Amino acid sequence: MSEGSKGSSLAFGQVVIGPPGSGKTTYCHGMQEFMGRIGRKVTVVNLDPANEAMPYQCAVDIAELITLPDVMENLKLGPNGGLIYCMEYLEANFDWLQEKLAAFRGHYYLFDCPGQVELYTHHGALKNVFAQLAKWNFRLAAVHLVDSHYCTDPGKFISVLCTSLSTMLHVELPHVNILSKMDLIEQYGKLAFNLDYYTEVLDLSYLVDHLASDPFFRNYRRLNEKLVEVIEDYSLVSFVPLNVQDKESMRQAMQAVDKANGYSFGDQEHRSLEALMSAAVGADFHFTSTLAVQEKYVQSQDKAVEEEVMDL
């Protein structure tokens, strides 16, 4: 994988990003197992220097180069400053990363990244790492995980949309936004709209109207309208619902990422004409996966109502 070598083969993979607690490590573990069952050789690369308990088989670990506890202790930095230092140190030691990755030629790569949001919205170290990987003929897609509980709070959901948009513009990679932990969404409260409203990011004016019914947000209606205008003007943000425990949900997420990084168009696996055409024209808007999750959500809501009626 020498830099600038035109004859070297392409390598495909995902950089898994998102805020703390969004399920990045769980996603990497689940995707490693899922892809392994369909015959892909998967290599997981841990780029999070604070990640100590890893459930997956880690082939390359940044802890061999630098760890967050060591940086915090020796440089007297806090966790945020320490993470930024670690990423800048990784950027300054590309040769270490290149040597480690070279041992896994022909594999599909999952990069488990840190959870500090600033690294994806305005700091340049990780962005430069991704750009260097592209020079080594890596074809990557950014998988941005967001906890699905934000859908139950319109104010938080608007902030998530802004963060997702900022991340997409800054990271400069093909992007797949994922609503994680969909199996737990009914525990967070009732949704104001159907699930497809949140996954496809439909007319957000309804969300602003819903916010305006809250006395606290009423004074900020104009601000929310402007934020929504920015999101809709770019028209880039949409989400794929994901339940790591559900095989069909994992397949839908994998297909979305395969389209984004170009793996669908390669010859690594047998592909049907229907799958290739769907990838080519972008015909799959995750309607089927969203519908399945929505049905489960509605059924759980109906069951809860029935139980309340029985108690009465």
Side-chain angles (χ1 to χ4, degrees), residues 103-129:
F104 301 96
R105 286 190 179 91
H107 287 213
Y108 188 98
Y109 297 83
L110 297 173
F111 293 88
D112 189 2
C113 298
Q116 189 176 0
V117 176
E118 294 87 345
L119 292 171
Y120 314 114
T121 55
H122 60 270
H123 194 266
L126 261 181
K127 175 184 175 180
N128 295 336
V129 170

Side-chain angles (χ1 to χ4, degrees), residues 50-250:
N51 202 352
E52 296 178 351
M54 292 172 287
Y56 49 72
Q57 290 182 329
C58 183
V60 180
D61 190 356
I62 192 176
E64 298 176 18
L65 178 69
I66 191 170
T67 65
L68 181 60
D70 289 344
V71 170
M72 292 174 62
E73 181 180 352
N74 295 326
L75 299 181
K76 308 303 178 185
L77 292 173
N80 290 339
L83 270 174
I84 290 175
Y85 180 89
C86 289
M87 293 302 100
E88 291 176 345
Y89 192 82
L90 174 62
E91 182 186 2
N93 289 272
F94 280 139
D95 53 343
W96 172 85
L97 184 60
Q98 184 177 18
E99 181 182 349
K100 290 292 183 180
L101 296 177
F104 301 96
R105 286 190 179 91
H107 287 213
Y108 188 98
Y109 297 83
L110 297 173
F111 293 88
D112 189 2
C113 298
Q116 189 176 0
V117 176
E118 294 87 345
L119 292 171
Y120 314 114
T121 55
H122 60 270
H123 194 266
L126 261 181
K127 175 184 175 180
N128 295 336
V129 170
F130 300 155
Q132 185 61 49
L133 289 170
K135 292 179 181 177
W136 295 336
N137 281 332
F138 277 80
R139 297 297 177 262
L140 302 173
V143 177
H144 184 218
L145 269 66
V146 174
D147 197 317
S148 60
H149 87 266
Y150 290 116
C151 294
T152 61
D153 188 319
K156 290 180 180 178
F157 186 67
I158 289 179
S159 69
V160 161
L161 292 174
C162 292
T163 302
S164 299
L165 178 60
S166 178
T167 300
M168 294 174 77
L169 297 176
H170 181 73
V171 172
E172 296 180 351
L173 283 176
H175 218 86
V176 177
N177 293 302
I178 288 182
L179 284 176
S180 62
K181 306 179 185 179
M182 290 304 300
D183 53 319
L184 304 176
I185 190 169
E186 65 268 14
Q187 298 180 11
Y188 300 131
K190 186 174 177 59
L191 297 178
F193 306 99
N194 285 340
L195 187 62
D196 59 347
Y197 178 88
Y198 300 93
T199 57
E200 300 301 332
V201 189
L202 303 175
D203 189 351
L204 295 178
S205 61
Y206 293 105
L207 203 62
V208 175
D209 292 338
H210 187 75
L211 270 175
S213 63
D214 188 323
F216 177 79
F217 289 103
R218 194 172 298 148
N219 296 330
Y220 301 98
R221 182 185 181 99
R222 186 64 177 160
L223 173 61
N224 288 325
E225 286 176 347
K226 289 301 180 182
L227 289 174
V228 162
E229 284 180 16
V230 171
I231 296 165
E232 292 184 328
D233 284 347
Y234 278 96
S235 190
L236 291 175
V237 185
S238 63
F239 295 94
V240 179
L242 176 67
N243 172 10
V244 176
Q245 307 298 327
D246 184 67
K247 292 180 181 179
E248 179 60 24
S249 181
M250 289 292 286

